[in-house]
Amino acid sequence: MENIQQQFVEILGAEWGGMMFSLASNMTFIFAIVVPLLLGVAYLTFAERKIIAYMQIRVGPNRVTFFGIPWLRGWGQPIADAVKAIMKEIIIPTNANKFLFILAPVLTIMPALAAWAVIPFSPELVLADINAGLLYILAMTSMGIYGIIIAGWASNSKYAFIGAMRSAAQVVSYELAMGFALVCVLMMSQSLNLGDIVNGQKGNSLLNWYFIPLFPMFLIYLISGVAETNRAPFDVAEGESEIVAGFHVDYSGMAFTVFFLAEYSNMILVAALTSIMFLGGWLPPIDIAPFTLIPGFIWLLLKIAFILFFFLWFRATFPRYRYDQIMRLGWKIFIPITLVWIVLLGAIMQLPESIRNAFPLNIWF
Amino acid sequence: MIFQDILFYFFSTILIASALGVITVRNPVNSALLLVLSFVTCAGLWLLLEAEFLAITLVLVYVGAVMVLFLFVVMMLDINLDRLREGFWKWFPFGAMIALVIVVEISMVLMGKYFGYEEMPLPEPKGADYSNTKELGRLIYTEYVYAFELAAVLLLVAMIAAIALTLRHREDKKSTNPFKQVKVRKEDRIRIVTTMSAEKKE
């Protein structure tokens, strides 16, 4: 790295060289995150179709082979889908607000990708190691809702508008529960920096990870994450059987695909955050030889895949929630539980040392 | 330094243009979206002032929650633009007065040297590992704890009052109680009877 920086300084001079070097290295890092992420999205759709198919005793996509290799049947499907989406025409309804109609998918994918800037992949591997990382994540994910609302309004269609309204109310409600669950995490770790949160879970084994002392918060965060990404069983914003496709009913071609990409990269983001906050991020489950040899990056990926499997499993298993029940779950069950847990955790943290030591096998305080 | 200046003028230009747009654009939805844009650029300006906690909280609270509800309401309302413009001259003196107050305030900032500006030195730029979240938290929960709690109670009172004012219990509403629905068992709903034809088969 330093050699490359030296070359930049030699060619462009001291002032511009340093600046251009940081620009170039950041751009490289961004590409190194976004390109695998989008590939991951493509193959997550494939995994979703396959896994749900096997759960329903079907085969799933098995026609498009990958470069003609016969045993990779179906593996070319996401690429074929992407090509199809790019070739299709983007239809803009006559009475739609054209500028906002085009802007909406952009506003949806922007925060979904921008939030990845602070995710630590391993102790050193992080694009922006900022102090207020958790707040940044919350701010970015809360901006994703604009794309959905604007899409619903700009389409000038009733179904799209109903979908947007449902989604807006749902996301704002579940954001509260999600935020409170994360408050518990930052009370435990005493830091907003995601790297410090992972380091706070360091210990001998997976018993030190926050999902054990904060188990109710782990569940609430996971379920709120499903609701936040408008996934089944909380997918009333799309609700195929009621309002066709909800907020993106009038979108076609690449404009629709961008919404699709945003939804799936948000899923991967929620899975990554759950692994970082509750499942120890890059830490191996047991801190002994065979596990510590595997790089932390791989552990994080495995944990993300594990959480993503839950997302797909939920979709294959549960029927869609009724809208009033979604609201009841968010406001009357999750928010009271999280509020009580925050007070409880604060009280436990203030206990004197002698009482803490009096309990054997104490993982809580 | 020059890069920070470019960023400052970039954000300020967008902020001023979008703030003007908020009050001049005809469509209320567009003007609400322009308000969102001005909040975001304002957060950018605050980041340049090393106030990252406030900047991110501005985005989180105002952009992520308050303006979403604003948009929600503005989109649902059928606003008649001509009726909105009727009262312009009636409210003009009031608006002009507020504009005057703002002009005076801004000029006080710009002509700071007449108001003891030099007595407030520029704060030292803090290092990269300085967390103003922690500092702000310490101040709020120690020195300014009463003011903070008072503000929190005030907000809670406003929230409860808003709910109490708008909540109406309708006699004829047909909603169901999910708690009761969850408790339902099979025995409450179905009764299995043996019919003649079933008996014959056995």
Short mmCIF file of all heavy atoms in Angstrom, two decimals, chain A residues 243-295:
data_model
loop_
_atom_site.label_atom_id
_atom_site.label_comp_id
_atom_site.label_asym_id
_atom_site.label_seq_id
_atom_site.Cartn_x
_atom_site.Cartn_y
_atom_site.Cartn_z
N ILE A 243 -52.73 -6.31 -3.43
CA ILE A 243 -52.49 -5.09 -4.20
C ILE A 243 -51.45 -5.34 -5.29
O ILE A 243 -50.60 -4.50 -5.55
CB ILE A 243 -52.10 -3.91 -3.29
CG1 ILE A 243 -51.00 -4.34 -2.32
CG2 ILE A 243 -53.28 -3.40 -2.53
CD1 ILE A 243 -50.46 -3.18 -1.50
N VAL A 244 -51.51 -6.50 -5.93
CA VAL A 244 -50.68 -6.88 -7.06
C VAL A 244 -49.19 -6.89 -6.71
O VAL A 244 -48.63 -7.94 -6.43
CB VAL A 244 -50.93 -5.99 -8.28
CG1 VAL A 244 -50.30 -6.65 -9.50
CG2 VAL A 244 -52.41 -5.79 -8.51
N ALA A 245 -48.52 -5.72 -6.74
CA ALA A 245 -47.12 -5.72 -6.34
C ALA A 245 -46.80 -4.51 -5.49
O ALA A 245 -45.66 -4.15 -5.31
CB ALA A 245 -46.21 -5.76 -7.55
N GLY A 246 -47.86 -3.85 -4.98
CA GLY A 246 -47.64 -2.73 -4.08
C GLY A 246 -46.95 -1.57 -4.73
O GLY A 246 -47.27 -1.20 -5.86
N PHE A 247 -45.95 -1.04 -4.05
CA PHE A 247 -45.36 0.24 -4.48
C PHE A 247 -44.68 0.15 -5.85
O PHE A 247 -44.55 1.16 -6.53
CB PHE A 247 -44.39 0.76 -3.43
CG PHE A 247 -43.24 -0.17 -3.15
CD1 PHE A 247 -42.06 -0.03 -3.86
CD2 PHE A 247 -43.35 -1.16 -2.21
CE1 PHE A 247 -41.00 -0.89 -3.61
CE2 PHE A 247 -42.31 -2.01 -1.96
CZ PHE A 247 -41.14 -1.88 -2.65
N HIS A 248 -44.22 -1.04 -6.28
CA HIS A 248 -43.54 -1.08 -7.58
C HIS A 248 -44.41 -1.73 -8.66
O HIS A 248 -43.90 -2.32 -9.60
CB HIS A 248 -42.17 -1.72 -7.49
CG HIS A 248 -42.13 -3.09 -6.88
ND1 HIS A 248 -42.90 -4.11 -7.34
CD2 HIS A 248 -41.42 -3.59 -5.86
CE1 HIS A 248 -42.66 -5.19 -6.63
NE2 HIS A 248 -41.77 -4.90 -5.72
N VAL A 249 -45.74 -1.59 -8.53
CA VAL A 249 -46.63 -2.23 -9.50
C VAL A 249 -46.45 -1.64 -10.90
O VAL A 249 -46.60 -2.32 -11.90
CB VAL A 249 -48.09 -2.17 -9.02
CG1 VAL A 249 -48.61 -0.77 -9.00
CG2 VAL A 249 -48.98 -3.03 -9.87
N ASP A 250 -46.08 -0.35 -11.00
CA ASP A 250 -45.96 0.28 -12.31
C ASP A 250 -44.54 0.27 -12.86
O ASP A 250 -44.28 0.85 -13.90
CB ASP A 250 -46.46 1.73 -12.23
CG ASP A 250 -47.96 1.79 -12.31
OD1 ASP A 250 -48.50 1.07 -13.16
OD2 ASP A 250 -48.58 2.53 -11.54
N TYR A 251 -43.62 -0.36 -12.15
CA TYR A 251 -42.23 -0.35 -12.60
C TYR A 251 -41.94 -1.59 -13.44
O TYR A 251 -42.48 -2.66 -13.18
CB TYR A 251 -41.28 -0.31 -11.40
CG TYR A 251 -41.17 1.05 -10.80
CD1 TYR A 251 -42.11 1.51 -9.90
CD2 TYR A 251 -40.14 1.90 -11.16
CE1 TYR A 251 -42.02 2.77 -9.35
CE2 TYR A 251 -40.04 3.16 -10.62
CZ TYR A 251 -40.98 3.60 -9.72
OH TYR A 251 -40.88 4.84 -9.19
N SER A 252 -41.06 -1.42 -14.42
CA SER A 252 -40.70 -2.55 -15.26
C SER A 252 -39.22 -2.49 -15.56
O SER A 252 -38.56 -1.49 -15.27
CB SER A 252 -41.50 -2.50 -16.56
OG SER A 252 -41.16 -1.34 -17.26
N GLY A 253 -38.71 -3.56 -16.11
CA GLY A 253 -37.32 -3.58 -16.57
C GLY A 253 -36.34 -3.27 -15.47
O GLY A 253 -36.47 -3.73 -14.34
N MET A 254 -35.33 -2.47 -15.81
CA MET A 254 -34.24 -2.20 -14.87
C MET A 254 -34.72 -1.41 -13.66
O MET A 254 -34.19 -1.58 -12.56
CB MET A 254 -33.14 -1.44 -15.62
CG MET A 254 -31.76 -1.66 -15.06
SD MET A 254 -31.34 -3.40 -14.97
CE MET A 254 -30.24 -3.38 -13.60
N ALA A 255 -35.74 -0.53 -13.84
CA ALA A 255 -36.23 0.26 -12.71
C ALA A 255 -36.77 -0.66 -11.63
O ALA A 255 -36.50 -0.46 -10.44
CB ALA A 255 -37.30 1.23 -13.19
N PHE A 256 -37.48 -1.70 -12.05
CA PHE A 256 -37.98 -2.68 -11.08
C PHE A 256 -36.81 -3.45 -10.47
O PHE A 256 -36.76 -3.69 -9.26
CB PHE A 256 -38.95 -3.65 -11.75
CG PHE A 256 -39.21 -4.88 -10.95
CD1 PHE A 256 -40.01 -4.83 -9.83
CD2 PHE A 256 -38.62 -6.09 -11.29
CE1 PHE A 256 -40.23 -5.96 -9.07
CE2 PHE A 256 -38.84 -7.21 -10.52
CZ PHE A 256 -39.64 -7.15 -9.42
N THR A 257 -35.84 -3.82 -11.32
CA THR A 257 -34.71 -4.61 -10.83
C THR A 257 -33.93 -3.87 -9.75
O THR A 257 -33.42 -4.49 -8.83
CB THR A 257 -33.78 -4.96 -12.00
OG1 THR A 257 -34.58 -5.40 -13.08
CG2 THR A 257 -32.82 -6.04 -11.62
N VAL A 258 -33.87 -2.53 -9.88
CA VAL A 258 -33.15 -1.77 -8.86
C VAL A 258 -33.85 -1.90 -7.51
O VAL A 258 -33.20 -2.06 -6.47
CB VAL A 258 -33.00 -0.29 -9.30
CG1 VAL A 258 -32.45 0.54 -8.17
CG2 VAL A 258 -32.06 -0.22 -10.48
N PHE A 259 -35.20 -1.85 -7.50
CA PHE A 259 -35.93 -2.09 -6.25
C PHE A 259 -35.60 -3.47 -5.68
O PHE A 259 -35.41 -3.65 -4.48
CB PHE A 259 -37.43 -2.02 -6.49
CG PHE A 259 -37.98 -0.63 -6.48
CD1 PHE A 259 -38.60 -0.11 -7.58
CD2 PHE A 259 -37.87 0.15 -5.35
CE1 PHE A 259 -39.10 1.16 -7.57
CE2 PHE A 259 -38.37 1.42 -5.33
CZ PHE A 259 -38.99 1.92 -6.45
N PHE A 260 -35.55 -4.43 -6.60
CA PHE A 260 -35.29 -5.81 -6.23
C PHE A 260 -33.90 -5.94 -5.61
O PHE A 260 -33.73 -6.53 -4.54
CB PHE A 260 -35.39 -6.63 -7.52
CG PHE A 260 -35.59 -8.08 -7.31
CD1 PHE A 260 -36.81 -8.56 -6.90
CD2 PHE A 260 -34.56 -8.96 -7.56
CE1 PHE A 260 -36.99 -9.91 -6.72
CE2 PHE A 260 -34.74 -10.30 -7.38
CZ PHE A 260 -35.96 -10.79 -6.96
N LEU A 261 -32.92 -5.31 -6.28
CA LEU A 261 -31.54 -5.32 -5.76
C LEU A 261 -31.50 -4.69 -4.38
O LEU A 261 -30.84 -5.20 -3.47
CB LEU A 261 -30.62 -4.53 -6.69
CG LEU A 261 -30.22 -5.15 -8.01
CD1 LEU A 261 -29.37 -4.18 -8.78
CD2 LEU A 261 -29.47 -6.43 -7.77
N ALA A 262 -32.21 -3.58 -4.21
CA ALA A 262 -32.19 -2.88 -2.93
C ALA A 262 -32.78 -3.75 -1.84
O ALA A 262 -32.23 -3.83 -0.73
CB ALA A 262 -32.95 -1.57 -3.03
N GLU A 263 -33.88 -4.44 -2.15
CA GLU A 263 -34.51 -5.29 -1.13
C GLU A 263 -33.55 -6.39 -0.69
O GLU A 263 -33.37 -6.62 0.51
CB GLU A 263 -35.79 -5.91 -1.70
CG GLU A 263 -36.54 -6.72 -0.65
CD GLU A 263 -37.71 -7.50 -1.24
OE1 GLU A 263 -38.33 -6.99 -2.18
OE2 GLU A 263 -37.99 -8.59 -0.73
N TYR A 264 -32.89 -7.01 -1.67
CA TYR A 264 -32.02 -8.13 -1.30
C TYR A 264 -30.73 -7.64 -0.66
O TYR A 264 -30.22 -8.30 0.26
CB TYR A 264 -31.75 -9.03 -2.52
CG TYR A 264 -32.91 -9.95 -2.75
CD1 TYR A 264 -34.07 -9.49 -3.35
CD2 TYR A 264 -32.88 -11.25 -2.30
CE1 TYR A 264 -35.16 -10.32 -3.52
CE2 TYR A 264 -33.97 -12.09 -2.47
CZ TYR A 264 -35.10 -11.63 -3.07
OH TYR A 264 -36.18 -12.44 -3.23
N SER A 265 -30.20 -6.49 -1.10
CA SER A 265 -28.98 -6.04 -0.41
C SER A 265 -29.32 -5.55 0.99
O SER A 265 -28.49 -5.66 1.90
CB SER A 265 -28.22 -4.98 -1.21
OG SER A 265 -29.06 -3.97 -1.60
N ASN A 266 -30.55 -5.06 1.20
CA ASN A 266 -30.97 -4.74 2.57
C ASN A 266 -31.07 -5.98 3.42
O ASN A 266 -30.71 -5.96 4.61
CB ASN A 266 -32.33 -4.04 2.55
CG ASN A 266 -32.18 -2.55 2.50
OD1 ASN A 266 -31.22 -2.00 3.03
ND2 ASN A 266 -33.12 -1.88 1.87
N MET A 267 -31.55 -7.08 2.83
CA MET A 267 -31.60 -8.34 3.56
C MET A 267 -30.22 -8.76 4.01
O MET A 267 -30.01 -9.14 5.16
CB MET A 267 -32.15 -9.44 2.65
CG MET A 267 -33.60 -9.70 2.76
SD MET A 267 -34.07 -10.74 1.39
CE MET A 267 -33.41 -12.30 1.91
N ILE A 268 -29.26 -8.70 3.05
CA ILE A 268 -27.89 -9.10 3.41
C ILE A 268 -27.33 -8.17 4.47
O ILE A 268 -26.64 -8.59 5.40
CB ILE A 268 -26.99 -9.13 2.15
CG1 ILE A 268 -27.59 -10.05 1.10
CG2 ILE A 268 -25.60 -9.60 2.50
CD1 ILE A 268 -26.80 -10.13 -0.16
N LEU A 269 -27.71 -6.86 4.37
CA LEU A 269 -27.23 -5.89 5.37
C LEU A 269 -27.77 -6.23 6.75
O LEU A 269 -27.01 -6.24 7.73
CB LEU A 269 -27.67 -4.48 4.95
CG LEU A 269 -27.25 -3.39 5.92
CD1 LEU A 269 -25.77 -3.15 5.82
CD2 LEU A 269 -28.00 -2.12 5.65
N VAL A 270 -29.07 -6.52 6.85
CA VAL A 270 -29.64 -6.86 8.15
C VAL A 270 -28.98 -8.12 8.70
O VAL A 270 -28.66 -8.19 9.89
CB VAL A 270 -31.18 -7.03 8.04
CG1 VAL A 270 -31.73 -7.65 9.29
CG2 VAL A 270 -31.83 -5.70 7.78
N ALA A 271 -28.72 -9.10 7.80
CA ALA A 271 -28.06 -10.33 8.25
C ALA A 271 -26.65 -10.01 8.75
O ALA A 271 -26.23 -10.52 9.80
CB ALA A 271 -28.01 -11.33 7.10
N ALA A 272 -25.94 -9.13 8.02
CA ALA A 272 -24.58 -8.76 8.44
C ALA A 272 -24.62 -8.05 9.79
O ALA A 272 -23.80 -8.33 10.67
CB ALA A 272 -23.93 -7.87 7.40
N LEU A 273 -25.59 -7.13 9.96
CA LEU A 273 -25.67 -6.40 11.23
C LEU A 273 -26.02 -7.34 12.37
O LEU A 273 -25.45 -7.23 13.47
CB LEU A 273 -26.72 -5.30 11.13
CG LEU A 273 -26.30 -4.12 10.27
CD1 LEU A 273 -27.43 -3.14 10.12
CD2 LEU A 273 -25.11 -3.44 10.90
N THR A 274 -26.95 -8.28 12.13
CA THR A 274 -27.29 -9.23 13.18
C THR A 274 -26.06 -10.02 13.58
O THR A 274 -25.82 -10.25 14.77
CB THR A 274 -28.39 -10.19 12.70
OG1 THR A 274 -29.38 -9.43 12.03
CG2 THR A 274 -29.02 -10.93 13.85
N SER A 275 -25.26 -10.44 12.58
CA SER A 275 -24.07 -11.22 12.93
C SER A 275 -23.07 -10.36 13.69
O SER A 275 -22.41 -10.86 14.60
CB SER A 275 -23.39 -11.82 11.70
OG SER A 275 -24.14 -11.68 10.57
N ILE A 276 -22.96 -9.08 13.32
CA ILE A 276 -21.98 -8.23 14.01
C ILE A 276 -22.44 -7.90 15.42
O ILE A 276 -21.66 -7.96 16.37
CB ILE A 276 -21.72 -6.96 13.18
CG1 ILE A 276 -20.89 -7.32 11.96
CG2 ILE A 276 -21.01 -5.92 14.01
CD1 ILE A 276 -20.81 -6.23 10.97
N MET A 277 -23.72 -7.55 15.59
CA MET A 277 -24.19 -7.11 16.90
C MET A 277 -24.38 -8.27 17.88
O MET A 277 -24.16 -8.12 19.07
CB MET A 277 -25.55 -6.41 16.80
CG MET A 277 -25.64 -5.39 15.74
SD MET A 277 -24.92 -3.87 16.22
CE MET A 277 -25.31 -2.97 14.75
N PHE A 278 -24.89 -9.40 17.37
CA PHE A 278 -25.29 -10.45 18.30
C PHE A 278 -24.48 -11.74 18.15
O PHE A 278 -24.41 -12.52 19.09
CB PHE A 278 -26.77 -10.78 18.11
CG PHE A 278 -27.68 -9.64 18.44
CD1 PHE A 278 -28.21 -8.85 17.44
CD2 PHE A 278 -27.98 -9.34 19.76
CE1 PHE A 278 -29.04 -7.79 17.75
CE2 PHE A 278 -28.81 -8.28 20.07
CZ PHE A 278 -29.35 -7.50 19.06
N LEU A 279 -23.91 -11.99 16.97
CA LEU A 279 -23.25 -13.28 16.76
C LEU A 279 -21.74 -13.14 16.62
O LEU A 279 -21.08 -13.97 16.00
CB LEU A 279 -23.84 -13.97 15.52
CG LEU A 279 -25.33 -14.28 15.58
CD1 LEU A 279 -25.80 -14.90 14.30
CD2 LEU A 279 -25.64 -15.20 16.74
N GLY A 280 -21.20 -12.05 17.15
CA GLY A 280 -19.75 -11.96 17.24
C GLY A 280 -18.99 -11.64 15.97
O GLY A 280 -17.79 -11.84 15.93
N GLY A 281 -19.67 -11.17 14.93
CA GLY A 281 -18.98 -10.68 13.73
C GLY A 281 -17.95 -11.65 13.19
O GLY A 281 -18.27 -12.77 12.81
N TRP A 282 -16.69 -11.21 13.15
CA TRP A 282 -15.63 -12.02 12.57
C TRP A 282 -15.04 -13.04 13.55
O TRP A 282 -14.13 -13.78 13.20
CB TRP A 282 -14.51 -11.12 12.05
CG TRP A 282 -13.82 -10.36 13.12
CD1 TRP A 282 -12.94 -10.85 14.03
CD2 TRP A 282 -13.95 -8.97 13.41
NE1 TRP A 282 -12.52 -9.86 14.87
CE2 TRP A 282 -13.12 -8.70 14.51
CE3 TRP A 282 -14.69 -7.93 12.84
CZ2 TRP A 282 -13.03 -7.42 15.07
CZ3 TRP A 282 -14.58 -6.67 13.39
CH2 TRP A 282 -13.77 -6.43 14.49
N LEU A 283 -15.54 -13.08 14.79
CA LEU A 283 -14.94 -13.96 15.79
C LEU A 283 -15.32 -15.42 15.53
O LEU A 283 -16.45 -15.71 15.14
CB LEU A 283 -15.43 -13.57 17.20
CG LEU A 283 -15.09 -12.17 17.65
CD1 LEU A 283 -15.78 -11.86 18.96
CD2 LEU A 283 -13.59 -12.02 17.81
N PRO A 284 -14.38 -16.36 15.72
CA PRO A 284 -14.71 -17.78 15.57
C PRO A 284 -15.55 -18.25 16.77
O PRO A 284 -15.43 -17.68 17.86
CB PRO A 284 -13.35 -18.47 15.56
CG PRO A 284 -12.45 -17.53 16.27
CD PRO A 284 -12.97 -16.15 16.04
N PRO A 285 -16.38 -19.29 16.59
CA PRO A 285 -17.25 -19.72 17.69
C PRO A 285 -16.48 -20.23 18.91
O PRO A 285 -16.91 -20.01 20.03
CB PRO A 285 -18.11 -20.83 17.07
CG PRO A 285 -17.45 -21.20 15.81
CD PRO A 285 -16.68 -20.03 15.36
N ILE A 286 -15.38 -20.93 18.68
CA ILE A 286 -14.55 -21.38 19.81
C ILE A 286 -13.13 -20.93 19.53
O ILE A 286 -12.63 -21.11 18.42
CB ILE A 286 -14.61 -22.91 20.01
CG1 ILE A 286 -16.06 -23.34 20.23
CG2 ILE A 286 -13.76 -23.34 21.19
CD1 ILE A 286 -16.27 -24.82 20.11
N ASP A 287 -12.48 -20.36 20.53
CA ASP A 287 -11.19 -19.72 20.29
C ASP A 287 -10.04 -20.72 20.43
O ASP A 287 -9.14 -20.51 21.23
CB ASP A 287 -11.01 -18.55 21.26
CG ASP A 287 -10.11 -17.48 20.65
OD1 ASP A 287 -9.85 -17.57 19.44
OD2 ASP A 287 -9.70 -16.58 21.39
N ILE A 288 -10.09 -21.84 19.68
CA ILE A 288 -8.97 -22.79 19.67
C ILE A 288 -8.56 -23.09 18.24
O ILE A 288 -9.24 -22.67 17.30
CB ILE A 288 -9.27 -24.10 20.44
CG1 ILE A 288 -10.63 -24.64 20.00
CG2 ILE A 288 -9.22 -23.88 21.95
CD1 ILE A 288 -10.95 -26.01 20.56
N ALA A 289 -7.49 -23.90 18.08
CA ALA A 289 -6.72 -23.96 16.84
C ALA A 289 -7.51 -24.12 15.53
O ALA A 289 -7.41 -23.23 14.68
CB ALA A 289 -5.66 -25.05 16.94
N PRO A 290 -8.30 -25.17 15.30
CA PRO A 290 -8.85 -25.30 13.94
C PRO A 290 -9.77 -24.14 13.57
O PRO A 290 -9.86 -23.78 12.40
CB PRO A 290 -9.60 -26.63 13.99
CG PRO A 290 -9.82 -26.91 15.41
CD PRO A 290 -8.72 -26.27 16.17
N PHE A 291 -10.43 -23.55 14.57
CA PHE A 291 -11.37 -22.48 14.27
C PHE A 291 -10.67 -21.15 14.04
O PHE A 291 -11.07 -20.37 13.20
CB PHE A 291 -12.38 -22.33 15.41
CG PHE A 291 -13.25 -23.54 15.58
CD1 PHE A 291 -13.04 -24.41 16.62
CD2 PHE A 291 -14.26 -23.79 14.68
CE1 PHE A 291 -13.83 -25.53 16.76
CE2 PHE A 291 -15.06 -24.92 14.81
CZ PHE A 291 -14.84 -25.79 15.87
N THR A 292 -9.59 -20.91 14.80
CA THR A 292 -8.91 -19.62 14.68
C THR A 292 -8.10 -19.53 13.39
O THR A 292 -7.73 -18.45 12.96
CB THR A 292 -7.98 -19.37 15.88
OG1 THR A 292 -7.24 -20.57 16.11
CG2 THR A 292 -8.77 -19.00 17.11
N LEU A 293 -7.81 -20.70 12.74
CA LEU A 293 -7.02 -20.67 11.51
C LEU A 293 -7.84 -20.10 10.35
O LEU A 293 -7.30 -19.50 9.43
CB LEU A 293 -6.53 -22.07 11.16
CG LEU A 293 -5.47 -22.64 12.12
CD1 LEU A 293 -5.09 -24.04 11.71
CD2 LEU A 293 -4.24 -21.73 12.13
N ILE A 294 -9.14 -20.30 10.40
CA ILE A 294 -10.00 -19.77 9.34
C ILE A 294 -10.09 -18.25 9.50
O ILE A 294 -10.32 -17.77 10.61
CB ILE A 294 -11.41 -20.41 9.43
CG1 ILE A 294 -11.28 -21.92 9.30
CG2 ILE A 294 -12.35 -19.85 8.39
CD1 ILE A 294 -12.53 -22.67 9.63
N PRO A 295 -9.88 -17.49 8.41
CA PRO A 295 -9.91 -16.03 8.57
C PRO A 295 -11.28 -15.52 9.02
O PRO A 295 -12.32 -16.10 8.70
CB PRO A 295 -9.56 -15.52 7.17
CG PRO A 295 -9.69 -16.68 6.26
CD PRO A 295 -9.49 -17.89 7.07
#
